[in-house]
Structure formats: structure tokens, C-alpha cells
Amino acid sequence: VALTVWIARAARGSLTPQQWEDVLYLFEASDQVPAGSTFFEGQYRQHGNLKLLEYAAQLAENVGDDTRAISLYRERANIKPFSLDATTRAVLLLIRSDRLRDAFDLMQAHRTEVPAEMDEFWRTLGNTAWDLQEPDAAEAAYSTYAKSPRATAGDWSRLIYLARQRSPQLGAELALDAYRRWGQLDHVMLALDIFGQSADFAGQARAFKTLTDQDMQRAQKQPQ
């Protein structure tokens, strides 16, 4: 009954943000989620309120209509002001639908609008670019994500691999940075190997100097 009243109210004029939120809740509570998605899309077309477009996408996603949710989220992602949430939701749904190329293109289109601290976006972009064999985009994304405290040694390994293809010197330096962060001797070994391939003996000397006394003792027990 409450939902019927609010729909009638909406037909006579736009509601307040809190009232729209109440209508969203009522569609979910009354198990009319698909109808709610259609309703909010229609209200968005009429009033141009971007929040209503987001509600329409959200309800479509909640009911499992990924095709409709993707379409609505992508529409919102391409409208100013930029919405990181809508863009991220569209990307995740595209990936779940095995549409990696579409997800990659959407992230690339908006990468300049995403702050560096939004690390999950950069990790997703890096992983997607890696899977699609887009090395330049993958390296750029991992370079941003590497600054995050959530970045793992595995993420750094991918970054090092990508960087060394373009610049062995950079790859070796990143390997040493990874060692300073995680203290894994494998990273020092990698740096030594890259320097050695370039006959950069001064670089190898610097790599040895980065070892702590304790790690030097451990390293001396390894034939490599």
C-alpha cells in the first residue's frame, strides 16, 4: 500500500532524496525488484536524476539481471560527474560475464579519473590487462597499485616482469625495491640475474650491498 502511494506521489512531482530511498526499500521489501528497476529507469529518463539511474542498475543487479545492470551501470559511468562505484560495478559484472575486453576498455576510458589510492581498481585493471596481453596498460596499472599496502609479492613479480621487457635496468631496480619491502632473497637473485644479463657489474655490486647482515649470512649458504 505504501509503495502504491509513493508511486502516485512521484507521478505528480519529484520526491526528496530520502523519499526516493524509501521507495527503493519498498520495492525490495515487497519483492518487486524487477518492476522497481524499470520504475527508477523511467523516473531517471523523466527527471534526469542520476541517483535514480543508479537505483535502477542496483535493483537489476540484485535480481540477477546482469545484462540490464551492465547496460545501466555503463550508461552512468559515461555521464559526468564520474562515478567510481558505477564504473566498478559495471567492470565486475563484465568480468563475471567473461567480457574482459569490454571491462578493460571501460577502465581504460576512465583511468585518468580514478585516484591512485583506489587500489582495487588498479589491481583489477592490471590483472585484466595482463590476461588480455596488454603489457603497457598492465605495467602502468601495476605501477600505481604497487604503492598500495595491499600489493603482494606476486603483484610486484608481474610488474618486474613487465618492466624488464622494456627496460632491464628498471626491472632490476624494482626487484631490489621488492626485496627491501618483503626481504625475499629471490628478488635479490632476480636483480643480480638481470644486471648480469646486461653485464652491469656495478649494478650487481649495489644489489649485494642492499643485503642486511642477516640476509648475507643466509645468502652465503645458497650455492647460487
Side-chain angles (χ1 to χ4, degrees):
V1 172
L3 182 58
T4 301
V5 172
W6 280 118
I7 291 175
R9 283 278 307 272
R12 297 201 301 270
S14 185
L15 308 180
T16 68
Q18 182 57 57
Q19 289 170 338
W20 285 124
E21 192 172 327
D22 290 341
V23 174
L24 174 70
Y25 165 77
L26 289 170
F27 271 114
E28 293 178 320
S30 61
D31 198 23
Q32 299 183 56
V33 178
S37 179
T38 302
F39 169 79
F40 278 112
E41 182 184 3
Q43 291 299 304
Y44 162 70
R45 306 294 176 201
Q46 180 178 348
H47 300 291
N49 184 338
L50 291 173
K51 195 64 179 178
L52 305 184
L53 178 58
E54 294 173 9
Y55 286 161
Q58 177 183 327
L59 290 175
E61 180 183 4
N62 290 349
V63 81
D65 190 347
D66 287 357
T67 300
R68 175 176 171 77
I70 288 170
S71 176
L72 294 171
Y73 277 131
R74 290 178 76 176
E75 180 177 353
R76 174 62 188 92
N78 291 320
I79 299 174
K80 301 291 185 182
F82 174 69
S83 170
L84 178 60
D85 180 66
T87 303
T88 301
R89 295 308 310 166
V91 165
L92 294 178
L93 289 172
L94 286 166
I95 292 174
R96 190 167 74 184
S97 302
D98 292 326
R99 296 169 59 183
L100 291 185
R101 176 58 63 179
D102 288 336
F104 171 75
D105 290 343
L106 183 60
M107 285 186 284
Q108 279 290 86
H110 297 287
R111 63 189 303 275
T112 59
E113 301 173 275
V114 180
E117 60 268 21
M118 300 301 176
D119 49 20
E120 191 56 37
F121 174 92
W122 295 107
R123 184 172 189 274
T124 301
L125 177 54
N127 290 343
T128 304
W130 176 274
D131 291 340
L132 292 173
Q133 298 183 14
E134 295 280 357
D136 292 343
E139 182 184 348
Y142 282 130
S143 294
T144 301
Y145 180 65
K147 301 178 180 69
S148 167
R150 298 174 59 187
T152 66
D155 297 319
W156 271 75
S157 293
R158 287 189 173 186
L159 174 59
I160 294 166
Y161 171 82
L162 292 164
R164 71 180 293 189
Q165 307 307 309
R166 180 172 56 82
S167 169
Q169 175 74 23
L170 177 59
E173 296 297 341
L174 286 171
L176 292 180
D177 287 342
Y179 163 71
R180 296 184 187 99
R181 183 165 181 172
W182 283 284
Q184 297 180 3
L185 287 178
D186 287 346
H187 286 129
V188 178
M189 292 297 301
L190 179 58
L192 288 168
D193 181 56
I194 297 173
F195 283 132
Q197 291 177 13
S198 304
D200 184 352
F201 304 118
Q204 286 186 323
R206 285 193 298 104
F208 281 118
K209 289 180 180 178
T210 62
L211 290 168
T212 65
D213 292 341
Q214 182 178 3
D215 284 345
M216 179 62 81
Q217 293 176 7
R218 285 198 300 138
Q220 288 172 340
K221 297 177 182 178
Q222 298 189 20
Q224 288 176 295

Coordinates of all heavy atoms in Angstrom, one line a residue, residues 9-10 12-16 19-20 43 47 49 52:
R9 N 2.6 9.6 -5.7 CA 3.2 10.9 -5.3 C 4.2 11.2 -6.4 O 4.3 12.4 -6.8 CB 3.8 10.8 -4.0 CG 2.9 10.8 -2.8 CD 2.5 12.2 -2.4 NE 3.7 13.1 -2.2 CZ 4.3 13.2 -1.0 NH1 3.9 12.6 0.0 NH2 5.3 14.0 -0.9
A10 N 5.0 10.3 -6.8 CA 6.1 10.5 -7.8 C 5.5 11.0 -9.1 O 6.2 11.7 -9.8 CB 7.0 9.3 -7.9
R12 N 3.2 12.9 -9.6 CA 2.7 14.3 -9.5 C 3.9 15.3 -9.3 O 3.7 16.5 -9.3 CB 1.7 14.5 -8.4 CG 0.4 13.7 -8.6 CD -0.7 14.3 -7.7 NE -0.4 14.3 -6.3 CZ -0.6 13.3 -5.5 NH1 -1.2 12.2 -5.9 NH2 -0.3 13.3 -4.2
G13 N 5.1 14.7 -9.1 CA 6.3 15.6 -8.9 C 7.4 14.8 -8.3 O 7.2 13.8 -7.7
S14 N 8.6 15.3 -8.4 CA 9.8 14.6 -7.9 C 9.8 14.6 -6.4 O 9.3 15.5 -5.7 CB 11.1 15.3 -8.4 OG 12.2 14.6 -8.0
L15 N 10.4 13.5 -5.9 CA 10.5 13.3 -4.4 C 11.8 13.8 -3.9 O 12.7 14.1 -4.7 CB 10.3 11.8 -4.1 CG 9.0 11.1 -4.7 CD1 9.0 9.7 -4.3 CD2 7.8 11.9 -4.2
T16 N 11.9 13.8 -2.6 CA 13.2 14.2 -2.0 C 14.2 13.0 -2.0 O 13.7 11.8 -2.2 CB 13.0 14.6 -0.5 OG1 12.6 13.4 0.3 CG2 11.9 15.7 -0.4
Q19 N 13.0 10.3 0.3 CA 11.8 9.6 -0.2 C 12.1 8.6 -1.3 O 11.6 7.5 -1.3 CB 10.8 10.7 -0.6 CG 10.2 11.5 0.5 CD 9.4 12.7 0.1 OE1 9.6 13.2 -1.1 NE2 8.5 13.1 0.9
W20 N 13.0 9.0 -2.2 CA 13.4 8.1 -3.3 C 14.0 6.8 -2.6 O 13.8 5.7 -3.1 CB 14.4 8.7 -4.2 CG 13.8 9.7 -5.2 CD1 14.2 11.0 -5.4 CD2 12.8 9.4 -6.2 NE1 13.5 11.6 -6.4 CE2 12.6 10.6 -6.9 CE3 12.0 8.3 -6.5 CZ2 11.7 10.7 -7.9 CZ3 11.1 8.4 -7.5 CH2 10.9 9.6 -8.2
Q43 N 11.8 7.0 -14.2 CA 11.9 8.3 -13.4 C 13.2 9.0 -13.8 O 13.2 10.3 -13.9 CB 11.9 8.0 -11.9 CG 10.5 7.5 -11.4 CD 9.4 8.5 -11.7 OE1 9.4 9.6 -11.3 NE2 8.3 8.1 -12.4
H47 N 13.3 12.8 -15.1 CA 13.8 13.9 -14.2 C 15.3 14.1 -14.4 O 15.8 15.2 -14.0 CB 13.5 13.5 -12.7 CG 12.1 13.4 -12.4 ND1 11.2 14.4 -12.4 CD2 11.3 12.3 -12.1 CE1 10.0 14.0 -12.1 NE2 10.0 12.7 -11.9
N49 N 17.7 12.6 -12.8 CA 18.3 12.5 -11.5 C 19.2 11.2 -11.6 O 18.7 10.1 -11.7 CB 17.3 12.3 -10.4 CG 17.9 12.2 -9.0 OD1 19.1 11.9 -8.9 ND2 17.2 12.5 -8.0
L52 N 18.7 8.1 -9.5 CA 17.6 7.1 -9.9 C 18.2 6.1 -10.9 O 17.8 5.0 -10.9 CB 16.5 7.9 -10.5 CG 15.9 9.0 -9.6 CD1 14.6 9.6 -10.2 CD2 15.6 8.4 -8.2

